[in-house]
């Protein structure tokens, strides 16, 4: 019998409580601290540089946890100044340094300053300048956190002329790739609806998909081309051009779906010690920490313009292509466009580019709308299993209403879901008057076209209107007319707060018939216990140490921030393409049911449940994992799917589990044996509050 009592909280909120996240949250540092390849790279670089520098003064620019400052001290620096712009992090770094005093000689001085490097006073007198500048301020794009700008400023003002920078430099690479599975961005037709028109929403310029730690099926069609080499010892942001054209040869035949961005940095100018973010080159946490980016591609035409719909870029091995790279904000970001070399064209590498303006298709809509289209609408549109489920659920609702002698032709359906209009259009096909409400105008425009070109009979009504239904009660329905069916997203869909818990109270009050039905009608939270040290590396330091470095204050902080008492959403890391190593110790079990046709009527603001999970495997519990499933009659739809777009849009929620009454800095996982595990679930209903985790 497993003796395990874990409490966890589920909060069903009825308002979106979106607070803006600071650039560097404390939480981002757990994956960095568990990025062993990264830590070892810096350790080796400092171990080699420190002994060559007597009485060495070191500046750690962007200190975060203070790890690099501590390694510098450990390997012989005399004095280290650690700069960290985020004051909360600086305080934590201070505590971390305090906890590790024994690692360096007592006369070594480490000071942590809560300051942006560019605000650090210019030191007077050469003796106060630094011998070594060490920094790890690199983003998913090499210069994404403005490292070149901060380093060149610090180099000029704060470093000795003979000073040494770690790393010496690096390179941003671009590789042309074909994706094994393009379905999240190129939805295939479903039951007579041509969804490929939705690819007109594809943003080939600005939007980049962030991946990492996933087995994604990439085929490289070109070499990995260095498109920006950065020499931190000498360069400044002004050295970065606005754009450059490259000639690049296809090494394999295929379709160029995307450009993969990853980078290397090297410790020394000889490039002997290299750290890479290339897919699959690091451990799980490391791969999550930086990840890599995919920028979708289409064939660029004359003047590098795109058409009204994306054109496939098919290449044969050996063919030459032209690639233009735009360097945004001195290389903080980059965009790539590719086209076939014109027949017989002679190529000049620094050709001024004629008009490199962005195509109107992508510039027209609002930036948020474009991001949402690419991150949610397209991946969901390709989810046929989801459309099948919703079609069934609509038919099921119709059957139920017909028992009340309501005829099909007199029914009205309001589709507030993000299913690319499919539930509404399917209902229209059956003869129901349907209104589909996507959030954005340009998405509505494409959906209208899809409806017009589809199998829906001419005399059936399928209207599409962009907006938030809660703000449009007066426009939506004729006076005294209410909808018989309202279609909702499953709980947990991270789309602009239109979760059932946000929508239902006002929909029921203003828009739904008294005997009207919500589709889907039923949801439940599935919960399981998981063994996965890699998962626990996302928000803690397993064992509290990295080698000799004591990082227990980070676990105490994690505890303080509530990771042991709240469910936190993770979209990609538990999906079918994730490279996370994990073992379910219990099968996911429905533990909390929500009848969406009555919620929240009659429910207290707070409920507590004791529950039991059957543990099927002996092991170590690192986390509780939860996810929503929705039901219609016998059918079920949940996060578990081989479809990549589901991974991207349907979250799992995770809460860390640790043994009580042990060293709070160690966060030891809980051993369990076969039998029943007891858990305590508490559920709160109500408006979002600050600092509260929300499952919406
Ligand atoms: C990628 S983290 C690395 C942290 C730490 N060096 C490590 O290796 O674990 C970068 C940190 O640098 C801070 N930072 C970035 N640019 C900075 C600057 N110019 N001055 C001070 N802090 C900066 C950020 O707030 C963030 O915490
Ligand atoms: C770090 O701690 C020292 C004293 O232990 C204090 O003087 C200093 O202000 C602290 N720095 C930060 C950034 O909290
Ligand atoms: C679907 O629409 C696209 C245009 O968006 C068109 O090129 C394609 O031929 C259509 N497919 C079918 C099967 O009608
Ligand atoms: C591309 O670079 C050239 C040369 O540096 C510059 O004249 C031109 O304005 C750039 N075009 C764009 C769109 O940035
Ligand atoms: C529906 O109509 C049938 C006869 O047409 C009648 O027997 C039945 O009571 C009606 N049901 C309802 C719910 O009105
Ligand atoms: C639809 O409802 C109206 C009353 O609202 C009724 O007059 C009409 O006969 C109904 N039509 C059908 C086809 O049931
Ligand atoms: C549409 O027309 C077909 C035949 O032309 C008819 O059977 C059907 O009832 C009509 N539907 C509506 C909603 O008027």
């Amino acid at each position: 019998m497993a003796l395990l009592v874990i409490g966890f909280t589920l909060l069903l909120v009825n308002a979106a409580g979106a607070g803006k996240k600071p650039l560097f949250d404390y939480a981002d540092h757990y994956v960095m601290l568990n990025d062993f390849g990264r830590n070892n790279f810096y350790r080796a670089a400092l171990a080699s540089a420190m002994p060559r520098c007597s009485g060495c003064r070191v500046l750690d620019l962007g200190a975060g946890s203070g790890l690099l400052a501590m390694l510098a001290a450990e390997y012989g620096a005399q004095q280290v100044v650690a700069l960290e712009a985020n004051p909360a992090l600086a305080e934590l770094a201070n505590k971390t340094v305090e906890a590790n005093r024994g690692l360096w000689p007592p006369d070594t001085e480490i000071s942590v300053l809560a300051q942006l490097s560019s605000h650090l006073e210019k030191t007077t007198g050469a003796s106060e300048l630094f011998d070594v500048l060490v920094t790890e301020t690199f983003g998913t794009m090499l210069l994404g956190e403005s490292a070149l700008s901060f380093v060149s400023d610090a180099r000029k003002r704060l470093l000795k002329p003979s000073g040494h920078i770690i790393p010496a430099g690096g390179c941003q690479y671009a590789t042309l790739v074909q994706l094994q599975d393009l379905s999240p961005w190129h939805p295939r037709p479903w039951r007579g609806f041509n969804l490929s028109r939705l690819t007109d929403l594809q943003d080939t310029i600005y939007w980049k998909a962030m991946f990492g730690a996933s087995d994604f099926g990439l085929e490289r069609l070109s070499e990995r081309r260095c498109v920006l080499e950065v020499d931190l010892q000498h360069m400044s942001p002004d050295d970065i051009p606005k754009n450059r054209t490259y000639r690049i040869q296809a090494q394999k035949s295929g379709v160029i779906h995307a450009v993969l961005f990853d980078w290397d940095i090297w410790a020394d100018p000889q490039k002997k010690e290299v750290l890479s973010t290339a897919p699959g080159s690091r451990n799980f946490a490391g791969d999550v920490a930086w990840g890599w980016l995919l920028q979708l591609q289409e064939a660029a035409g004359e003047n590098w313009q795109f058409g009204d719909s994306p054109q496939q870029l098919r290449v044969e091995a050996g063919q030459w292509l032209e690639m233009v790279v735009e360097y945004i904000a001195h290389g903080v970001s980059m965009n790539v466009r590719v086209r076939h070399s014109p027949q017989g064209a002679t190529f000049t590498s620094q050709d001024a580019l004629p008009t490199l303006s962005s195509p109107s298709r992508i510039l027209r809509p609002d930036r948020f709308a474009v991001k949402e289209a690419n991150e949610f609408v397209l991946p969901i549109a390709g989810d046929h299993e989801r459309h099948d489920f919703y079609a069934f659920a609509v038919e099921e609702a119709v059957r139920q209403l017909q028992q009340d002698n309501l005829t099909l032709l007199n029914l009205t359906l309001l589709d507030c879901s993000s299913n690319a209009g499919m539930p509404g259009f399917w209902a229209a096909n059956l003869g129901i008057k349907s209104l589909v409400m996507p959030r954005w105008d340009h998405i509505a425009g494409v959906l209208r076209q899809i409806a017009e070109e589809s199998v829906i009979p001419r005399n059936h009504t399928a209207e599409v209107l962009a907006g938030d239904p809660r703000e449009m009660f007066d426009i939506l329905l004729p006076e005294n007319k209410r909808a018989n069916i309202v279609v909702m997203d499953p709980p947990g869909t991270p789309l602009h707060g239109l979760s059932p818990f946000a929508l239902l109270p006002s929909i029921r009050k203003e828009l739904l018939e008294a005997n009207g039905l919500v589709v889907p009608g039923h949801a439940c939270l599935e919960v399981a216990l998981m063994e996965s040290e890699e998962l626990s590396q996302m928000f803690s330091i397993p064992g509290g140490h990295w080698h000799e470095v004591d990082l227990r204050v980070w676990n105490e902080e994690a505890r303080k921030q509530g990771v042991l008492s709240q469910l936190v959403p993770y979209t990609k890391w538990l999906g079918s393409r994730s490279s996370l190593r994990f073992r379910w110790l219990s099968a996911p079990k429905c533990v909390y049911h929500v009848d969406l046709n009555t919620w929240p009527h009659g429910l207290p603001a707070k409920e507590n449940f004791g529950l039991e999970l059957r543990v099927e495997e002996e092991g170590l519990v690192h986390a509780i994992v939860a996810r929503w499933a929705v039901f219609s009659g016998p059918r079920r739809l949940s996060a578990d799917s081989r479809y990549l777009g589901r991974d991207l849009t349907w979250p799992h929620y995770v809460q860390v589990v640790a043994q009580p009454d042990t060293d709070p800095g160690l966060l030891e996982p809980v051993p369990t044996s076969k039998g029943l595990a007891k858990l305590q679930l508490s559920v709160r209903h109500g408006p979002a509050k600050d600092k509260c985790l929300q499952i919406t």
Side-chain angles (χ1 to χ4, degrees), residues 8-28:
F8 65 112
T9 300
L10 172 69
L11 179 63
L12 310 179
V13 299
N14 57 23
K20 200 176 174 314
K21 189 173 171 263
L23 175 65
F24 267 93
D25 219 355
Y26 89 98
D28 297 321

Side-chain angles (χ1 to χ4, degrees), residues 23-26 28-29 32-33 38-39 42 60-69 71 82-87 89-90 113-120 134-139 145-147 149-151 153-154 289-290 554:
L23 175 65
F24 267 93
D25 219 355
Y26 89 98
D28 297 321
H29 284 270
M32 289 182 229
L33 289 169
R38 185 197 79 121
N39 297 354
Y42 277 95
D60 177 2
L61 193 162
S65 56
L67 181 70
L68 307 185
L71 292 175
L83 293 181
E84 172 49 57
N86 177 334
L89 277 171
L113 305 179
Q115 237 179 57
L116 197 63
S117 61
S118 51
H119 293 171
L120 187 68
V134 63
T135 191
E136 195 283 85
T137 45
F138 305 106
E145 291 164 22
S146 301
S149 158
F150 288 123
V151 169
D153 163 70
W290 274 313
W554 285 81

Side-chain angles (χ1 to χ4, degrees), residues 241-244 324-327 350-357:
K242 280 203 156 52
N243 56 72
R244 256 189 214 140
V324 61
V325 181
E326 287 176 86
Y327 303 90
Q350 292 300 324
D351 267 350
L353 294 156
T355 45
L356 200 62
S357 55

